[in-house]
């Protein structure tokens, strides 16, 4: 295996571990959790988000984006279209789950809060690493406390 | 690779294809679908069913069991406990998805309709290959037609 291949493998393995970390934390908060098959799986006819968490019939759809440093995140339009389709079918709400590795905790940005950029991509401002919804916010909503729309105006 | 290992691999690959087949059919019926990670994945701290399908916030949880011929199916108790836990967390309903390969179409048996046997296992009578709920039944319920409890008395 070349050094480049090894590096790719290492990056993939780390992404997988982070996804598992989020899944476990949601599980411990009482959510039912399903992780999609690893990206790169032959799953083109069906659209899979990275993670789906459900509590009391409230459905959270997650696309996961982690960064090595605190910087804006850009997302291709096809991913947003995919998440919207999943929202429409399930009756759930889609979020981008973001995290600066080894620095910030998980934060969640509902896809309707993303800004569309000139190049047909969507931007998540880096302020959301601090200001996005927390795991606790999701937990409170799913436990019937308060709808998240009250916290979050797009 | 030994002949035995090859045979195991072939069996696993086929099981995977059947799961994908069911996922695709549910998707074409308008469900949002998530497939769990392949069995054998290191996923012990979190419980994953084989497949979850959601439509209009109605949640279907599936454990998949296919057979080469029409025979009773036995399921270990820990799998039922796992499915009940997922039901409780999500507010969904768990089914065993059954099929005789190349012979019958998918049928679905709600876990509360299973009989507990002496050996601490649960039995699905082979009659359910014909009498279980069909994909159409699930579709009708999720589309707001009629709750499946009206079709199915445990």
């Amino acid at each position: 295996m070349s050094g480049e291949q090894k590096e790719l493998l290492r990056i993939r393995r780390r992404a997988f571990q982070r996804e598992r970390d989020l899944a476990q934390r949601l599980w411990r908060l009482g959510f039912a959790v399903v992780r999609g098959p690893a990206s790169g799986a032959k799953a083109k006819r069906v659209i899979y988000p990275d993670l789906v968490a459900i509590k009391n019939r409230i459905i959270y759809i997650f696309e996961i984006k982690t960064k090595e440093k605190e910087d804006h995140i850009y997302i291709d339009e096809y991913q947003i279209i995919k998440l919207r389709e999943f929202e429409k079918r399930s009756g759930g709400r889609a979020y981008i789950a973001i995290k600066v590795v080894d620095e910030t905790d998980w934060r969640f940005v509902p896809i309707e809060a993303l800004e569309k950029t000139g190049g047909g991509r969507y931007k998540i401002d880096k302020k959301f690493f601090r200001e996005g919804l927390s795991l606790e916010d999701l937990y409170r909503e799913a436990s019937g406390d308060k709808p998240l729309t009250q916290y979050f105006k797009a």
Side-chain angles (χ1 to χ4, degrees), chain A:
Chain A
M1 213 189 291
S2 72
E4 205 175 300
Q5 282 174 314
K6 270 188 199 153
E7 181 57 21
L8 258 174
L9 206 66
R10 198 157 35 228
I11 289 170
R12 230 182 246 179
R13 201 176 297 130
R14 267 191 226 143
F16 189 76
Q17 279 162 354
R18 279 171 215 141
E19 205 177 299
R20 190 168 58 189
D21 165 70
L22 180 56
Q24 285 175 355
R25 293 185 60 188
L26 285 161
W27 182 263
R28 285 200 295 268
L29 288 171
F31 289 84
V33 184
V34 203
R35 284 166 74 189
S39 325
K42 281 184 204 154
K44 277 159 202 160
R45 264 174 281 184
V46 177
I47 288 162
Y48 297 110
D50 289 331
L51 201 68
V52 173
I54 314 169
K55 198 175 179 185
N56 304 324
R57 293 186 61 206
I58 301 179
I59 299 144
Y60 300 86
I61 303 148
F62 300 111
E63 193 71 28
I64 296 173
K65 299 281 174 198
T66 57
K67 279 275 180 192
E68 300 295 328
K69 58 185 174 97
E70 205 165 318
D71 214 344
H72 305 314
I73 296 177
Y74 293 90
I75 298 177
D76 287 334
E77 188 170 26
Y78 82 88
Q79 285 200 299
I80 302 299
I81 291 170
K82 178 181 106 164
L83 291 166
R84 283 210 185 107
E85 177 65 27
F86 207 93
E87 276 188 326
K88 206 180 65 186
R89 287 170 173 249
S90 66
R93 202 165 179 218
Y95 297 84
I96 313 297
I98 61 173
K99 181 181 172 65
V100 182
V101 181
D102 298 330
E103 254 183 64
T104 64
D105 200 357
W106 290 103
R107 293 282 171 168
F108 306 94
V109 186
I111 59 171
E112 72 266 24
L114 308 190
E115 304 163 45
K116 194 164 186 176
T117 66
R121 293 197 300 171
Y122 286 79
K123 179 185 166 184
I124 303 176
D125 195 283
K126 61 182 176 187
K127 72 176 182 193
F128 287 120
F129 285 116
R130 315 275 163 194
E131 298 174 14
L133 297 161
S134 66
L135 266 169
E136 220 184 334
D137 292 332
L138 300 191
Y139 173 77
R140 273 204 298 269
E141 185 193 49
S143 307
D145 235 37
K146 214 196 264 194
L148 289 185
T149 41
Q150 285 186 250
Y151 296 87
F152 224 107
K153 309 275 180 212

